[in-house]
Structures are given as structure tokens and as C-alpha cells.
């Protein structure tokens, strides 16, 4: 072969190689999946709007892992998991080092295919060893599958890397229970104590292990300790938390508004609820919660107006009628209150609390006998509520029906657990009042006799 | 013909004389092939979606059931308004197999759902009662029987409350409980509403009911589970905002109901509400299933309650008649991971035939049905993973369940009826053709292949229908020694399945007769001994989901051809265990309380 022909051959080979690589790059590499459509039938327009926007963005950026991932997260947040899986698969191909995508895929697959979910969690954990959430989910799945030998070394590593996470020790104790190793469970409990990672759930789990072995004294001690231990806090999952940012259904905002109301941040709650009510007029709850926030704020008139409007718009909702009644009573509109309670109880006859409120209104109107009857019915409907019984007892005490009051109060002790401090205090207060009233009665009786 | 010698020599010569050209040709070939050889990437980013688990099926491909046609009940009998999305409508109703007229043949009770708009007012809430005739046909005696429910019907449960020898009834519904006294005469089934005089006042959403003698005074008491504190008119939606049924997390739980039968005071059909004094009111749950049994072996009956998406309850009774909740401690409250599960149907049964009674519960899609194996008296371990019952149920929402030996091979099998409570976009991304198709699923059969090991049974007629199934009852309807099945589905016709499985062994059925009521003794624990084998079961007719099965206890014996002895631990009256002589199998034995040899007091070690 001459040098010239050798060079020609080499150049030709190089050219063919380059062409082959180009073809492979564009044609023979596995194509990205088709961008999933979602069925918007019956869906909220805000959800459809969000998903449409994200899909349109993805159409413009088909090679963006972020675009695929955002669309997938929005689909997942709105319970379109089949479509979300396709998006996460594409995002994972475009950004193979991002552990989010296999992790979220695993969360979805955990509903239907544990082995596949385990593989995804393992992949996520390998990509991001600092993320405990994937490892813990993997361990949880392995325990469910009965693969204890696989779970054990992972838990060892987790305990080394995250010694202060209660969840890790909880899973270790669980594994000890499954492997019938109660001493090991105590060992892990001790280790958790040293790391200040003990929680109520962990102690109860440890107690259960001991009970299973017949070590009831040890178990009872652990149970007693669990009553005073800190509530269990699960390992944070920031990737799942990210889904909330994509919520267009109002669920996240509703939860936020509830929290704001509980924390007394009523102005903020009102703003959130007003937005929700206008976005979702077909739902009663945002507007109802808004009315309750107005009431909490002292704006009774506006609350009353809102509730009246709601009662007309949702006439078959007993909760609306109940709150309309309570608000009307607060506003001094007794007749409206009774009328609304009547409607409420027609819709929900077993509403013990509504009966108790009606009893109070009847009593205020001087109808004590009717009030007592209503309270008795309320107690029947809600036997587990000590406060309704307390209401009945107070009414009976005021009516000087002492034996009936005693009979009504007597079962409450059996209802209460030691942790119910407020209820225990009220019980003691009423018992003292009953005792005082009985003594006064007795003294008055003796004086009369004399 | 080619001159091969020449070609060979030429090729050889070519190789010898032109090594570079040959090498370039080889390189060229390799380069051309390279894109094809390396084109398929596999690894974590390649998703192989296998949404439908494909479990191995049992080698027992024989048919077990065939459907009985032409039950004399309207196919539209059960109705749930598809436009209302009221929660009771998706929870469905149960069914009952019980001998209402005491003629030795099981009758059928089907529970209605919503009131159909076109139905006459007097038919509102009326149960369908089918009386089995001597020739095996069925007669619809619903109006004559007079059984009703209050609100959306849940279940009908029978027991002899007045100890007069025939089964009375309790019906449960979304608006409470009704009680009926059995006044059947001359074969005419008639049930009289005695709710008012019974003093059982309950207007909450009542679901399961179990009748058992908790205070051992010889009179059957009543325990009713309550579901959620439901607010009618509540509007719930799925993640996209599309209207769907509310789930239990949207509402608070409620206390269950325990009523003591005052019959011992000369007042049959009078009850005293002891919910608060017994301690039952101390916990609120979302009860859908219940089982009354002596869990801790102390001779006192305890109560297990399956709560929906909340920890289950195990109420342990003390000698003073008070109950303490201990399910978490005893390992039967939550799953292996400490998570509460949906818990719809519950069966108290010996799944691994080790002589200990376990618990089997049916759950939601995304969970698995759960086997709580009893390890020591009253302590349990979630052993679902090893049983083969887990993964095949993960895509299903299970309700009614029956654990029994359908093919008489000596190993118990399991039937589960399924149906969704909310849409399943992962399994069914596109909207279905009709409302109920969105929630419909097939039923499942599991064949026992070893003690505590099961495999999905091959395709069977029982598994063909796609419906929103809820109630499941079992009984030997044709008195031929094997168990038949009755299925109740939402807004669909009830289905009766005759057992046609090839018999792989022997059987025994035991009818217990209480000395107090000339009828069944609910809660009686029966041990059948044959050689080294001990088979244990209890009289638990109220089992599964909102349903009632034959009160005769059925044992599949496999190759055991005789029975050495039978022991019965009686649940009421004087505390005792009696032993009865064994004998031939393949028959129904009647064991009367007091007719056996006393062995020991219950709660003591025999």
C-alpha cells in the first residue's frame, strides 16, 4: 500500500467514524419519551392551567431536565402518577446525577411494585449518600419484603452517618423485633438514648418487643416512659416537600390557612382563605373557614353574612348550619340560631355537639327541662366526649337535680386517661361542686327539719 | 463449480500480501457496527414500568366455583347514587348466610344501599330475604320478613338474643342500628322490629356487629362498630380537583357501642348501654370490622376492631367486665412499619394451622392485605411478607374475605372481594366508560400451598367479574360438605357461587349448640384432633366485611380420614372445656354444651 492510499483509507475511516457517532447521537440513542398529556376531565381549571403551562414550557425545552422534572412534580402533586413517572424517567436521563428523580419514582412505585421501588431508592441513595430519606425508605421497603439481611448493613451505615435521627433507631429496633432479638432491641434503644434520639414511637416499639418475649415489667416501664417522651419526628424529605410548591388544587394553601388560624395570624389566614374561596367557589370549606376566621377576629356581622350566604348556597351541609347557629347565638340572634340548629340536626341527627349547643340555647330561654333532655340525647350521640357530659352536669347542678348530676358525672372517670389534664381538672371541680351542693342541701334539710 | 483451491489460495495469498488493507477493512467493519452495539443504555435512568404485578399462579388450575344463575332478586336491588358522592355510597353493603327458619338450609339476606328514587316509600331500606326451599331453589320473602336498615344499609347479622332457639337480627346502616326479633312460624319468615323496646338507641354510622356473651351470663350481648363522624354533603376531590368520594381522614372517629343483654334479669330483648362504664368509650376509632374472641387465653372474651386508616383496637377484658385497649402493644394495631392501614375486612382464623388463631385483614390499594400471626397468646407479628399474600394484593382494595379450605386438601385457602374507594390514576390513567367502572376490580382467590404459604389461584369464575365488591359470606348452601360463596357488590347484582372444586380430601362440619339457647354458641373454640394434627377454629359467623357466614364451623381435613376427639371451649355460662368422642369424618356433627366430658376450666392449662 502506498502512503497516499494509506492516508486516504485513514481519512475515510475517520469520516465514517465521525458519521457513525453523529448518527448515534441523534438517531440511535434512546429517544426521550413523548411528553405526557393528562386527562383534564372534571379537573379544576387552576390545576389544568398550571399543568398546561408547565407542559407548554416543556415543549419549548424538551432537553431540559428541570422542565421535565417540574412537569413531573406537578403531575405527582395532582395525583397523575403514571404521567409523572414518564417525566421523571426523562429527567433522570437528562440529569443522571440528580437523585431526586429516582427517589420520587420510588415513592410512586412503592404503591404498586416494591422491588422496583427498592431499586430506585438504592439508586437515589447511591447518587446522594447524604440524603437519609432515600436510604430510610429503602430500608422500610426491604423490611416489608422480608429482606432483613439486606436491610441490616444499610441500617448500620445509617446509624453511623445519622446517629441523631430517631427514624434510624426505630427501624433498627423494628428489625430486631422481626428477627426476634429483644436484647438487640434494648441495645439499640440504649444507643438511641446516648444520641438523644429517643421518641415516643421508638419507646413503644421497644416496649412491644419486650412484651412479645413476656418481659412485661420492662415493657410497662418503656410504655410509661413513652407517655412523657418527645413526639416522634420523621426524617425530612425535602424532595417530597418540593412538590407542595406545585400545588394548584388549594390543598397546601388550605393547610397553611389552618395553621395561620391556629397560630392567631388571622389577617394572613383571611387573605389566604379569601383567595381560595374566590378560586374555588364550588367548594364550601374555604368560605366556611373564612367566616370562622372573621368570627375569631370579632367581626361577627360579616361572619354572619358570609355564613348565611353559604347556607343558601350549600343547603345540605350540616356543618355550615351549625356554625351559622353558633355565630347567630353570639350575635344575640337566638331565633336564627335555633332555626339553623334545627336544620343542622335534620341533616345530621347524631351531631352531639349541635345538640349540646341547642341545649344551652334552650336553657338560656328558660326551658330547662327541654335543655336537659337535649343534653341527654347529646351524651347518647357522643358518649366519648367528656365536655358534653360536663355541660349536662352543670345544668343539672344549677337545677338542683343533684342525684341526676351525680349519676351523669360518675361515668366520666372511666372515660378519661391520665394525660387529659384539662378534663381531669374539670371533673375534680365538678365533683367538688357536687359535694358542696350536697352538703348545702343536707344542711338546709336539717335546718328545715329542726 | 468453483475452484475452491484457487479461492482459498487467493484468500490466503491476500492475507499474506496485504495485511494493512485487511486490518483497515476489519477496523471499518468494527466502526460501522459500533453505533448498533452500544445503542441501548440500561441503568437507573431506564424505566421499566410494570404496574401490574404478575404473580406466579398456583399449579392448581382446576376450577373451584361456578356461578349460580337466576337468584330471584332484582339486578338493581343494590343502588348507590353515582351522582351524590356521599361516602356511604362507596363503602357498600354486606350480605348474610343464615338459617332464619331453622330448617337446616341456609337462607340469604342482602342489604340495600340508597333508596332508589322510583321505589315505593314502604320499600325504603328493605332487605332482600331469600328463603331456600327444599329443592334448593329460592323464594323471595322480603316483604313478609320485614328486615330493614336505617340510612344506607351496611350489614345484617343474626344471633339468638332471647334464647328461644331461633336467630334474631341486627341491621346496621349509616343512620344507626335496628333490632329484630325472629317470629318465624310454620316456615313463614317474619322479623319484628323491636328496636324501641330494646333500649338500643343509636343513630350514628354503624357498620359491623358481633354478638357474643361478654359477661358469660348466658345471654348474647351486642357490640357495634361505628365508622366516622360523617357530615353529609361533604365535598371531596382528587388531586386534580375532580369530584371523588371522601376518605376517612376527612372526619373524626367515633366510639363503638357495647350493650349488655338484660335477658338474665327476665327481660329478653332489653339492653343496657355499657359503652362508657366498660371503657370502650375511651377510644374513638373508625371501625369497619370486628371479631370477638378470647385473645389472651384467660377465658374472657376480648374484642378486636379493624379501624380504617387508624390503629386497630384490641380490647382486652378484665374480670370486672372492663376493657383496656392494647393493640399497639400486642402487635396488631399497625403494619410492620408502624403505619395504620385501611383495615376493612377482618377474619379471626388459623392461617398457618399451628393451633393459634391469627388475624387476617384486607386493605387499600397501595397497602397489602395483612396477616397478623399469633406468636404467643394474644401477641402478634405482621408476617405478611413471607405468606405470599402481600404483593398480589397491593394493586387491589380488599373488602370481604373468607379463609377456608375450598378444595378440602387440608390447607386453608383465601377468597377476597375487591373494589376501589377512590380512583386509581396510576392503574387507570384514562377515565372509564361509566362511574362504577372507575372503581371496579376483580376478586381474588389464594390457594394454600403449605402452612402459612399461599399463591394466587389460577383463573376462576369467581375472579372474572369486575365490580365494586364489598360483602362476602361463606356457607355450605347445598349441604354437600364444601363451602359455597355469596358476594354483594355496589350497584350490581349479588352473586352466588357454588363450590365445584375437585375434592382433594375429607371434611367435617361442626354445629355447636349452646345450653342456653338451643342454637349456635358464638365464640366457641373448637379443636379437632386427628393423629398428631390439631385443627383449631372458632364459631365466628360475623366475619370479613359487614357479612355473616354459616355458623357451622367447617374443617378441610385433607387425608385425615378419621377424627380422634373434638374439644370445645364454650364461651358462655360456666367456664369449661369439653371433650367429645371422635369418629367418622365427611359429616356434620352436632356438639351440645354439657354433653361432653369436662376437661378443664377455660383459662386454665388443659
Amino acid at each position: 500500500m502506498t502512503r497516499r492510499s494509506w492516508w486516504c483509507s485513514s481519512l475515510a475511516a475517520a469520516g465514517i467514524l465521525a458519521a457513525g457517532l453523529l448518527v448515534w447521537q441523534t438517531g440511535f440513542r434512546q429517544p426521550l419519551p413523548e411528553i405526557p398529556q393528562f386527562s383534564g376531565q372534571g379537573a379544576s381549571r387552576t390545576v389544568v392551567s398550571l399543568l398546561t403551562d408547565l407542559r407548554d414550557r416543556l415543549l419549548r425545552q424538551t432537553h431540559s431536565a428541570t422542565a421535565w422534572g417540574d412537569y413531573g412534580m406537578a403531575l405527582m402533586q395532582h395525583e397523575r402518577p403514571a404521567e409523572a413517572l414518564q417525566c421523571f424517567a426523562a429527567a433522570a436521563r437528562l440529569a443522571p446525577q440528580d437523585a431526586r428523580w429516582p427517589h420520587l419514582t420510588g415513592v410512586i412505585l412503592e404503591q404498586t411494585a416494591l422491588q422496583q421501588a427498592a431499586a430506585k431508592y438504592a439508586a437515589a441513595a447511591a447518587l446522594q449518600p447524604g440524603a437519609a430519606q432515600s436510604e430510610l425508605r429503602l430500608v422500610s421497603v426491604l423490611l416489608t419484603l422480608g429482606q432483613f439481611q439486606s436491610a441490616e448493613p444499610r441500617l448500620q451505615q445509617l446509624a453511623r452517618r445519622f446517629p441523631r435521627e430517631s427514624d434510624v433507631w426505630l427501624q433498627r429496633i423494628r428489625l430486631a423485633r422481626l428477627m426476634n432479638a429483644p436484647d438487640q432491641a434494648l441495645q439499640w434503644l440504649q444507643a438511641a438514648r446516648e444520641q438523644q434520639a429517643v421518641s415516643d414511637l421508638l419507646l413503644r416499639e421497644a416496649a412491644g418487643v419486650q412484651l412479645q418475649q413476656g418481659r412485661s415489667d420492662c415493657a410497662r416501664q418503656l410504655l410509661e416512659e413513652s407517655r412523657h417522651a418527645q413526639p416522634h419526628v420523621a426524617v425530612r424529605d425535602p424532595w417530597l416537600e418540593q412538590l407542595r410548591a406545585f400545588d394548584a388544587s388549594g390543598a397546601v394553601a388550605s393547610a397553611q390557612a389552618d395553621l395561620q388560624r391556629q397560630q392567631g395570624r388571622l389577617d394572613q389566614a383571611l387573605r389566604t382563605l379569601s383567595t381560595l374561596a374566590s378560586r374555588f367557589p364550588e367548594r364550601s370549606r374555604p368560605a366556611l373557614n373564612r367566616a370562622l376566621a372573621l368570627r375569631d377576629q370579632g367581626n361577627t356581622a360579616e361572619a354572619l353574612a358570609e355564613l348565611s350566604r353559604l347556607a343558601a348556597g350549600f343547603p345540605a351541609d350540616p356543618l355550615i348550619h351549625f356554625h351559622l347557629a353558633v355565630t347567630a347565638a353570639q350575635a344575640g340572634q337566638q331565633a336564627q340560631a335555633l332555626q339553623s340548629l334545627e336544620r343542622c340536626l335534620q341533616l345530621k341527627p347524631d351531631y352531639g355537639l349541635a345538640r349540646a349547643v341547642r341545649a344551652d340555647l334552650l336553657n338560656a330561654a328558660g326551658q330547662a327541662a327541654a335543655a336537659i333532655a337535649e343534653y341527654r340525647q347529646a351524651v347518647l350521640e357522643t358518649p366519648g366526649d367528656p365536655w358534653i357530659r360536663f355541660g349536662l352536669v352543670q345544668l343539672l347542678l344549677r337545677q338542683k337535680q343533684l342525684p341526676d348530676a351525680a349519676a351523669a358525672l360518675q361515668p366520666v372517670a372511666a372515660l378519661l386517661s391520665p394525660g387529659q389534664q384539662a378534663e381531669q381538672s374539670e371533673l375534680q371541680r365538678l365533683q367538688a361542686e357536687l359535694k358542696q351542693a350536697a352538703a348545702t342541701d343536707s344542711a338546709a334539710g336539717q335546718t328545715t327539719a329542726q | 463449480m468453483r475452484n475452491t483451491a484457487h479461492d482459498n489460495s487467493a484468500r490466503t495469498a491476500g492475507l499474506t500480501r496485504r495485511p494493512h488493507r485487511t486490518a483497515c477493512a476489519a477496523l471499518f467493519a468494527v466502526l460501522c457496527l459500533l453505533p448498533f452495539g452500544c445503542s441501548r443504555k440500561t441503568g437507573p435512568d431506564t424505566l421499566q414500568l410494570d404496574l401490574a404485578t404478575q404473580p406466579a399462579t398456583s399449579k392448581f388450575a382446576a376450577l373451584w366455583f361456578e356461578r349460580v344463575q337466576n337468584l330471584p332478586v332484582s339486578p338493581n336491588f343494590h343502588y348507590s347514587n353515582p351522582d351524590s358522592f356521599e361516602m356511604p355510597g362507596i363503602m357498600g353493603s354486606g350480605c348474610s348466610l343464615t338459617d332464619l327458619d331453622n330448617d337446616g338450609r341456609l337462607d340469604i339476606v342482602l342489604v340495600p344501599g340508597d333508596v332508589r328514587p322510583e321505589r315505593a316509600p314502604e320499600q325504603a331500606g328493605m332487605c332482600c330475604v331469600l328463603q331456600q326451599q327444599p329443592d334448593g331453589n329460592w323464594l323471595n320473602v322480603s316483604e313478609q320478613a320485614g328486615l330493614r336498615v336505617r340510612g344506607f344499609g351496611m350489614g345484617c347479622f343474626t344471633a339468638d338474643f332471647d334464647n328461644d332457639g331461633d336467630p334474631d337480627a341486627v341491621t346496621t346502616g349509616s343512620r344507626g342500628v335496628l333490632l329484630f326479633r325472629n317470629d318465624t312460624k310454620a316456615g313463614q319468615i317474619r322479623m319484628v322490629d323491636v328496636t324501641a323496646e330494646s333500649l338500643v338507641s343509636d343513630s350514628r354510622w354503624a357498620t359491623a356487629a358481633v354478638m357474643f356473651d361478654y359477661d358469660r351470663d348466658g345471654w348474647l350481648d351486642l357490640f357495634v362498630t361505628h365508622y366516622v363522624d360523617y357530615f353529609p354533603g361533604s365535598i371531596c376531590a382528587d388531586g386534580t380537583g375532580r369530584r371523588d368520594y371522601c376518605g376517612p381522614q376527612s372526619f373524626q372517629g367515633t366510639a363503638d357501642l357495647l350493650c349488655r343483654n338484660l335477658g338474665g334479669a327476665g327481660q329478653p330483648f332489653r339492653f343496657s348501654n355499657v359503652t362508657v362504664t366498660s371503657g370502650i368509650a375511651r377510644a374513638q376509632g373508625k371501625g369497619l370490622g370486628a371479631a370477638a374472641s378470647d385473645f389472651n387465653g384467660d377465658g374472657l372474651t376480648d374484642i378486636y376492631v379493624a379501624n380504617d386508616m387508624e390503629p386497630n383496637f384490641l380490647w382486652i377484658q378484665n374480670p370486672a367486665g372492663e376493657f383496656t385497649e392494647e393493640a399497639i402493644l400486642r402487635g396488631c394495631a399497625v403494619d410492620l412499619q408502624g403505619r395504620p392501614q385501611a383495615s376493612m375486612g377482618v377474619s379471626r382464623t388459623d392461617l398457618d394451622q399451628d393451633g393459634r388463631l391469627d388475624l387476617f385483614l384486607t386493605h387499600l390499594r397501595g397497602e397489602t392485605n395483612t396477616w397478623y400471626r399469633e406468636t404467643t397468646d394474644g401477641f402478634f407479628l405482621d408476617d405478611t411478607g413471607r405468606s405470599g399474600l402481600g404483593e398480589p394484593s397491593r394493586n387491589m382494595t380488599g373488602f370481604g374475605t373468607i379463609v377456608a379450605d375450598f378444595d378440602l386438601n387440608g390447607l386453608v385457602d383465601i377468597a377476597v372481594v375487591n373494589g376501589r374507594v377512590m380512583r386509581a390514576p396510576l392503574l387507570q390513567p384514562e377515565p372509564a366508560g361509566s362511574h362504577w367502572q372507575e372503581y371496579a376490580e376483580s376478586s381474588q382467590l389464594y390457594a394454600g400451598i403449605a402452612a402459612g404459604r399461599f399463591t394466587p389461584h389460577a383463573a376462576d369464575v369467581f375472579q372474572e367479574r369486575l365490580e365494586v365488591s364489598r360483602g362476602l359470606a361463606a356457607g355450605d348452601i347445598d349441604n354437600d360438605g364444601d363451602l359455597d360463596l355469596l358476594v354483594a357488590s355496589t350497584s350490581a347484582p349479588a352473586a352466588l357461587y357454588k363450590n365445584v372444586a375437585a375434592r382433594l380430601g375429607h371434611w367435617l362440619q361442626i354445629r355447636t349448640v349452646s345450653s342456653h339457647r338451643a342454637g349456635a354458641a358464638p365464640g366457641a373454640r373448637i379443636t379437632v384432633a386427628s393423629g398428631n394434627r390439631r385443627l383449631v377454629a372458632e364459631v365466628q359467623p360475623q366475619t370479613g366485611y359487614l357479612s355473616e357466614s354459616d355458623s357451622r364451623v367447617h374443617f378441610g381435613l385433607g387425608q385425615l380420614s378419621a377424627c380422634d376427639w373434638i374439644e370445645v371451649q364454650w364461651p358462655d355460662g360456666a367456664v369449661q372445656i369439653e371433650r367429645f368422642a371422635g369418629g367418622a369424618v365427611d359429616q356434620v356433627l352436632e356438639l351440645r354444651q354439657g354433653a361432653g366430658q369436662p376437661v378443664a376450666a377455660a383459662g386454665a392449662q388443659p
Side-chain angles (χ1 to χ4, degrees), chain A residues 3-321:
Chain A
R3 181 173 288 194
R4 186 179 177 181
S5 63
W6 190 93
W7 274 111
C8 287
S9 301
S10 299
L11 279 171
I16 290 166
L17 176 61
L21 279 171
L22 185 64
V23 168
W24 177 83
Q25 188 82 8
T26 55
F28 289 101
R29 190 182 62 174
Q30 189 178 7
L32 290 169
E34 208 172 296
I35 299 174
Q37 287 272 25
F38 60 91
S39 169
Q41 181 183 331
S44 149
R45 57 184 168 77
T46 54
V47 172
V48 172
S49 173
L50 171 74
L51 292 176
T52 304
D53 285 348
L54 287 170
R55 190 173 188 275
D56 288 345
R57 186 181 124 204
L58 179 53
L59 280 166
R60 297 190 297 272
Q61 304 172 34
T62 54
H63 283 81
S64 160
T66 304
W68 278 103
D70 285 354
Y71 187 39
M73 286 195 281
L75 287 164
M76 185 174 176
Q77 174 64 17
H78 296 99
E79 294 177 20
R80 302 304 311 178
E83 295 88 342
L85 284 174
Q86 294 174 48
C87 293
F88 294 148
R93 285 195 50 224
L94 291 166
Q97 299 307 312
D98 192 334
R100 269 184 300 176
W101 313 129
H103 179 84
L104 292 176
T105 302
V107 171
I108 294 175
L109 289 175
E110 224 184 304
Q111 293 177 47
T112 55
L114 281 190
Q115 293 283 10
Q116 290 186 48
K120 290 299 175 187
Y121 289 139
L127 287 171
Q128 195 160 331
Q133 66 269 29
S134 298
E135 278 282 2
L136 274 168
R137 280 188 175 263
L138 172 59
V139 164
S140 167
V141 168
L142 290 172
L143 291 188
T144 304
L145 289 170
Q147 295 174 18
F148 305 148
Q149 304 304 326
S150 302
E152 171 67 29
R154 288 188 179 270
L155 276 171
Q156 277 180 13
Q157 282 186 25
L158 274 168
R160 276 198 294 272
R161 296 211 305 265
F162 307 101
R164 292 187 159 255
E165 289 287 356
S166 286
D167 256 354
V168 173
W169 300 106
L170 179 64
Q171 295 289 11
R172 292 203 94 169
I173 291 172
R174 245 174 220 150
L175 181 57
R177 173 164 61 81
L178 290 165
M179 297 181 76
N180 208 18
D183 291 327
Q184 183 85 92
L186 284 176
Q187 188 184 325
W188 298 142
L189 177 59
Q190 182 53 34
R193 287 189 201 284
E194 287 162 10
Q195 297 296 337
Q196 296 175 327
V198 171
S199 70
D200 56 354
L201 195 57
L202 203 150
L203 287 163
R204 283 205 296 271
E205 182 75 27
V209 180
Q210 302 309 314
L211 260 178
Q212 206 137 21
Q213 303 300 318
R215 301 180 186 177
S216 43
D217 287 342
C218 179
R220 284 184 210 295
Q221 274 176 8
L222 290 169
L223 270 176
E224 186 53 37
E225 190 185 342
S226 78
R227 289 195 184 98
H228 309 289
Q230 62 182 5
H232 188 78
V233 176
V235 156
R236 270 194 68 219
D237 191 333
W239 295 327
L240 278 184
E241 289 170 11
Q242 283 178 14
L243 297 181
R244 289 191 224 145
F246 293 92
D247 179 63
S249 69
V252 171
S254 287
Q256 211 170 27
D258 279 345
L259 190 61
Q260 287 162 349
R261 235 185 104 205
Q262 280 168 25
Q263 292 172 344
R265 294 182 282 146
L266 295 176
D267 286 337
Q268 281 178 296
L270 276 167
R271 278 195 295 276
T272 309
L273 289 165
S274 297
T275 306
L276 281 170
S278 65
R279 280 170 67 194
F280 304 103
E282 70 281 8
R283 299 186 206 164
S284 61
R285 289 301 178 261
L288 174 60
N289 289 334
R290 182 174 173 275
L292 298 183
L294 284 168
R295 192 175 74 189
D296 293 343
Q297 218 180 30
N299 197 338
T300 313
E302 201 175 331
L304 208 48
E306 179 81 346
L307 285 164
S308 298
R309 189 186 62 74
L310 275 172
F314 299 92
D317 191 333
L319 194 60
I320 292 173
H321 293 288

Side-chain angles (χ1 to χ4, degrees), chain B residues 495-512:
Chain B
L496 186 60
Y497 293 93
K498 178 177 163 48
N499 188 327
V500 296
R503 290 178 179 222
L504 302 178
H506 300 284
W507 57 275
L508 191 63
Q509 286 201 71
I510 292 174
R511 180 189 298 121
T512 54

Side-chain angles (χ1 to χ4, degrees), chain B residues 41-242:
Chain B
K41 280 170 67 176
T42 57
D45 61 340
T46 301
L47 183 68
Q48 285 184 334
L49 203 57
D50 181 17
L51 295 174
T53 308
Q54 300 295 327
T57 54
S58 94
K59 61 182 181 182
F60 306 112
L63 218 57
W64 280 358
F65 295 99
E66 72 180 18
R67 183 145 175 211
V68 171
Q69 302 299 334
N70 302 327
L71 281 180
V73 55
S74 163
N76 299 327
F77 167 74
H78 192 277
Y79 173 69
S80 176
N81 186 347
D83 300 321
S84 76
F85 285 98
E86 291 284 353
M87 199 180 172
I90 196 61
M91 300 312 293
S93 314
C95 54
S96 183
L97 284 170
T98 178
D99 186 4
L100 286 174
D101 53 0
N102 266 349
D103 64 352
R105 287 181 291 271
L106 289 171
D107 308 303
I108 289 174
V109 179
L110 302 173
V111 179
D114 277 326
V115 178
R116 266 190 190 280
E118 66 272 18
R119 273 196 125 184
E122 59 270 17
Q123 291 189 325
M126 185 181 290
C127 296
C128 174
V129 179
L130 303 180
Q131 183 180 26
Q132 191 179 172
Q133 303 300 293
D135 60 1
N137 285 321
W138 302 90
L139 183 66
N140 190 324
V141 295
S142 306
E143 285 196 40
Q144 169 197 289
L147 275 173
R148 290 178 183 278
V149 296
R150 190 187 272 168
F152 190 105
M154 292 282 115
C156 175
F157 312 91
T158 62
D160 188 2
F161 281 123
D162 52 3
N163 283 357
D164 66 351
D166 54 25
D168 310 300
V170 172
T171 64
T172 56
S174 62
R175 297 237 168 178
V177 162
L178 295 174
L179 267 74
F180 296 84
R181 187 185 66 237
N182 190 328
D183 250 13
T184 298
K185 290 180 176 58
Q188 306 288 308
I189 296 176
R190 190 164 164 267
M191 310 294 284
V192 177
D193 188 338
V194 292
T195 310
E197 65 194 74
S198 74
L199 305 180
V200 175
S201 172
D202 181 22
S203 58
R204 286 171 288 162
W205 188 346
T207 48
V210 286
M211 283 72 86
F212 65 106
D213 185 5
Y214 93 91
D215 53 358
R216 302 190 74 101
D217 66 353
W219 297 85
L220 292 176
D221 310 299
L222 173 65
F223 180 83
V224 177
T225 58
H226 287 126
Y227 195 35
V228 298
D229 186 14
Y230 179 62
F231 282 77
S234 296
I235 298 171
C236 294
D238 67 12
T240 66
R242 190 175 167 205

Side-chain angles (χ1 to χ4, degrees), chain B residues 218-390:
Chain B
W219 297 85
L220 292 176
D221 310 299
L222 173 65
F223 180 83
V224 177
T225 58
H226 287 126
Y227 195 35
V228 298
D229 186 14
Y230 179 62
F231 282 77
S234 296
I235 298 171
C236 294
D238 67 12
T240 66
R242 190 175 167 205
R243 190 85 191 267
D244 204 348
Y245 291 94
C246 295
Q249 299 98 321
S250 300
F251 307 100
Q252 301 284 342
T254 52
D256 298 321
L257 174 73
L258 179 62
C259 292
R260 186 175 156 258
N261 192 332
L262 297 175
Q267 299 185 77
F269 264 110
R270 293 286 191 278
F271 291 84
S272 168
N273 188 335
V274 296
T275 304
V276 176
T277 53
S278 66
I280 296 284
R282 214 178 285 138
Q284 278 81 57
K286 300 174 185 176
L288 288 176
S293 177
D294 179 9
F295 280 84
N296 59 350
D298 65 353
L300 300 172
T301 308
D302 314 302
I303 310 167
Y304 184 78
V305 178
N307 286 314
D308 194 354
M309 300 311 296
E310 300 272 322
N312 303 315
F313 293 155
L314 177 52
W315 293 103
I316 300 291
Q317 188 183 176
N318 69 19
E322 294 158 345
F323 292 83
T324 308
E325 203 290 292
E326 297 184 5
I328 286 182
L329 296 184
R330 291 176 178 271
C332 54
V334 294
D335 73 357
L336 198 64
Q337 299 301 327
R339 293 175 298 221
Q341 294 179 293
S343 303
M344 277 77 86
V346 59
S347 178
R348 171 88 164 136
T349 185
D350 186 2
L351 232 67
D352 55 351
Q353 293 169 294
D354 64 350
R356 295 190 167 283
L357 292 173
D358 312 305
L359 290 163
F360 179 69
L361 281 78
T362 53
H363 295 305
L364 193 63
R365 169 180 55 82
E367 302 168 345
T368 65
N369 296 334
T370 299
W371 170 31
Y372 290 116
R373 178 172 61 84
E374 191 182 61
T375 53
T376 57
D377 275 353
F379 289 92
F380 298 86
L381 182 67
D382 178 352
D383 219 0
T384 311
R386 299 190 297 137
S387 66
L389 295 169

